[in-house]
Amino acid sequence: IWTGPQPTLREMGAEVGVARTFPVGALRERIRKAIALGRRVHYLPPYRGETKLQLADLLGIRTGALHDHKSVDLMLAVAEMREIKSAEEIEALERAFPIGYAMHTTAMRMCRPGVVEREIAGAIEGISKSMGAGVSFPSIVSQHGETLHNLRSDGVLEQGRLLLCDAGGESLEGYCSDHTRTYPVGGRFSERQRAVYEIVLKAHDDVAEAVKPGMMYQRDIHLLSYRILAEGLIGLGLLRGTAEAAVEAGAMTLFMPHGLGHGLGMDVHDCEAFGERSFDFSYIAERAAASGTCIYRSAWKVRPGTVLSDEPGIYFIPALIDKCRAEGLYKGIVNYDALDAWRDFGGIRIEDDLIVTDTGCRMIGGGKHIPITVDELEAVVGK
Ligand code: GLY
Ligand code: MN
Ligand code: MN
């Protein structure tokens, strides 16, 4: 009466290759028996509240103890399966791309003075629904791009200010796209905006050029982006000395306080919910490192079939600048006096999604890309 005929569990299972299914109600008895026989019940660290309650109830343990008994074997097995994409999964990711393309080019065209950020967010989220399975994460549409995940979209667009749009859609199968573009309201980059933009774009392009199988995400990819950005900031007079020394000292964390990228697939930050960020990881770090999967980023080794985002940025975050300065950090490296003139600049991030191939990598998008160069953006923004 309310929802119409629904597929049975058996039918849904058959669709994804699960040969045997049982009523959910049978789970309790099954688990009780397994526990009575001394068998290990493998489960992933849960992150949804209702799953935690359900699991704790089924296993007869406190929710607070769930992390103590999670299955590292299952985590690593699932991470491996999810990280290395099959041909079908890559096709699904390719189907998510046109959704992201339509969302971003629509945002660009709408980017005129007087428009409210949420009008753009609403329009592009509508596209994600009309073309696919909805957004792959809540859209970030803000002139305060220096706030990395700024979900407030109540600003009114002002001529010349930078708008950062980080948004993506899901294919009907639930595979994600995740792209960011940053451009000035009205469509004309100022000299300063263009200078910073070109630096971030170089980092983005050089990473896309460099990534190949066997590279370590942190050491070979993330730090590469930091060095390129540091070189650019030296050119602007905001850093002193060599790029190498600035990166070594940690000074780049002031300008890009996030990783260059993350795994991507069925989730926009794939497998992160059971990775190092979600709980005390120290006691399984060694095993996670040996596996080389994305759940442990500092030991993540990219392989053919790995999909990761390439999203460098430069942000001028007044609170962070003040904090680092007050703490005397990066003395002689960061030119704090010069930074005074950049406090209201905002932030620039540029993001695309890469698939590691047998010999290198390629961008998702079937050869097409979302406008990205200054010229390409100036031709479409506000038009
Ligand atoms: N969309 C969030 C991120 O790029 O990490
Ligand atoms: Mn993003
Ligand atoms: Mn991303």
Side-chain angles (χ1 to χ4, degrees), residues 43 53 95 180 206 212 222 242 244-245 249 265 277 283 302-303 321 361:
Y43 63 89
L53 292 173
R95 279 193 286 278
T180 307
D206 286 8
K212 59 176 195 288
H222 175 74
T242 65
E244 207 68 51
R277 293 174 172 208
Y283 80 104
V302 306
R303 292 161 288 167
I321 295 169
C361 76

Side-chain angles (χ1 to χ4, degrees), residues 137 149 166 178 262 269 311 351:
F137 58 94
H149 279 182
D166 181 350
D178 181 12
H262 50 82
H269 283 207
E311 51 180 308
E351 173 175 27

Side-chain angles (χ1 to χ4, degrees), residues 148 164 180 182 196-197 199-208 221-222 224-226 228-229 252 255-256 258-261 309-315 347-352 354 372:
L148 305 181
L164 185 148
T180 307
T182 313
V196 179
Y197 191 88
I199 296 167
V200 180
L201 185 58
K202 179 168 168 39
H204 164 280
D205 290 352
D206 286 8
V207 164
I221 303 175
H222 175 74
L224 167 67
S225 73
Y226 264 10
I228 297 159
L229 297 170
M252 282 311 298
F255 295 97
M256 182 175 121
H258 64 72
L260 183 269
S309 68
D310 169 13
E311 51 180 308
I314 291 180
Y315 312 88
I348 291 178
R349 174 163 68 252
I350 305 175
E351 173 175 27
D352 284 309
L354 303 175
I372 192 166

Side-chain angles (χ1 to χ4, degrees), residues 62-230:
R62 289 180 304 109
T63 48
L66 282 169
H67 274 307
D68 299 338
H69 301 285
K70 66 186 175 288
S71 169
V72 178
D73 290 325
L74 186 57
M75 285 162 61
L76 295 176
V78 171
E80 177 84 20
M81 280 181 75
R82 284 179 65 156
E83 184 177 331
I84 306 303
K85 270 41 173 201
S86 66
E88 294 92 330
E89 289 182 288
I90 292 174
E91 283 167 21
L93 285 161
E94 291 286 0
R95 279 193 286 278
F97 175 81
I99 307 171
Y101 183 93
M103 292 167 76
H104 280 277
T105 50
T106 299
M108 288 168 190
R109 282 192 298 270
M110 288 179 74
C111 185
R112 291 198 205 100
V115 173
V116 184
E117 292 161 350
R118 106 166 54 79
E119 294 178 59
I120 298 180
I124 66 177
E125 295 201 351
I127 291 173
S128 77
K129 275 235 170 227
S130 62
M131 291 178 71
V135 293
S136 47
F137 58 94
S139 308
I140 299 162
V141 180
S142 175
Q143 291 170 111
H144 281 288
E146 76 281 7
T147 301
L148 305 181
H149 279 182
N150 192 346
L151 294 176
R152 284 187 75 142
S153 283
D154 49 9
V156 180
L157 301 193
E158 293 169 31
Q159 177 73 31
R161 277 185 71 182
L162 287 172
L163 179 73
L164 185 148
C165 177
D166 181 350
E170 287 189 4
S171 70
L172 289 171
E173 308 90 339
Y175 279 77
C176 298
S177 71
D178 181 12
H179 297 271
T180 307
R181 291 293 185 266
T182 313
Y183 35 82
V185 177
R188 276 272 155 257
F189 280 81
S190 70
E191 280 308 307
R192 226 153 71 139
Q193 288 168 343
R194 178 191 287 261
V196 179
Y197 191 88
E198 296 291 3
I199 296 167
V200 180
L201 185 58
K202 179 168 168 39
H204 164 280
D205 290 352
D206 286 8
V207 164
E209 191 69 36
V211 168
K212 59 176 195 288
M215 275 188 164
M216 301 302 289
Y217 160 76
Q218 180 80 20
R219 187 192 66 198
D220 303 329
I221 303 175
H222 175 74
L223 290 184
L224 167 67
S225 73
Y226 264 10
R227 279 196 301 278
I228 297 159
L229 297 170

